[in-house]
Each structure stands twice: as C-alpha cells, then as structure tokens.
Amino acid sequence: QVQLVESGGGLVQPGGSLRLSCAASGSIFSFLVMGWYRQAPGKERELVADISRSGRTNYADSVKDRSTISRDNAKNTVYLQMTSLKPEDTAVYYCKGNFGSMEFWGRGTLVTVSS
C-alpha cells in the first residue's frame, strides 16, 4: 500500500517560516488528493490545506493568508509552506492522501512555535 513520510517539522520562533514535506511511495501518487492536517494538544484533528491532482487548492481560514500547499507529481511529494507562524500553529502535522474511499496517513511531524 501507499506509505507517506512527513519531514521538516521542528522548533520555530513566532513570525518564522517552515516548509513541510511529505514523500509518498508507490505509483498511485498522481491519482491522490493530498492534504495536510494538524492536531494540537487537547484538540481535534483539523484540515490545514489540500490539493487535487490538477493543483486546485483549499485552505483553512486560519492559515489561508500564510500557507501554500503544492505538489510535485514527478517526485511523489507534497509540500506545505507556512510563514508568519504563531504559537497556535503548534501541532503535529499529518500528511493524508485519498482516492475515493481509500485513505492513507503519515505518522506526523511535530511543529512547535515558541520563543
């Protein structure tokens, strides 16, 4: 099955920037709708952004002005670029791919925004 591996998380100062990457195995990547989700302590997992195979994007209101999701189908990789990071952005960020009823999740990467 498809494996997703996130990278790029870490400690960032408020106002800083970060780029997360999600590398996928297999040949099905180009058929997947890809997305980034996050889960903060004590809160439900929420959608951050997603992107279709053709590049149509969707963002949560809380990050829309500060985030860019993109994909490179040749590299089987999806990215999330975030700027002007805030402490409330602190969460475990998960990569998700789906095709119809099929869902694939990465293990997550922790982003901590703190001074």
Side-chain angles (χ1 to χ4, degrees):
Q1 68 271 22
V2 174
Q3 288 185 298
L4 304 175
V5 181
E6 302 96 335
S7 62
L11 177 63
V12 186
Q13 295 184 5
S17 300
L18 198 67
R19 188 175 81 157
L20 304 179
S21 299
C22 173
S25 66
S27 61
I28 199 176
F29 179 82
S30 63
F31 296 96
L32 300 175
V33 176
M34 300 298 301
W36 287 96
Y37 290 71
R38 67 185 182 186
Q39 187 166 23
K43 296 186 177 181
E44 294 184 357
R45 187 174 299 183
E46 64 176 354
L47 173 70
V48 179
D50 58 27
I51 183 168
S52 72
R53 189 265 177 268
S54 63
R56 179 181 290 273
T57 59
N58 179 58
Y59 298 91
D61 288 341
S62 60
V63 304
K64 190 168 186 177
D65 295 332
R66 304 183 291 115
S67 302
T68 301
I69 186 171
S70 61
R71 67 190 296 163
D72 187 336
N73 289 335
K75 296 182 178 179
N76 284 5
T77 303
V78 63
Y79 306 93
L80 180 68
Q81 177 73 45
M82 298 191 69
T83 61
S84 300
L85 286 162
K86 306 173 181 179
E88 51 262 45
D89 293 319
T90 296
V92 176
Y93 285 70
Y94 298 92
C95 179
K96 178 190 176 184
N98 67 275
F99 179 73
S101 62
M102 302 173 64
E103 292 188 353
F104 310 94
W105 290 89
R107 288 281 206 149
T109 184
L110 177 63
V111 174
T112 302
V113 184
S114 176
S115 59

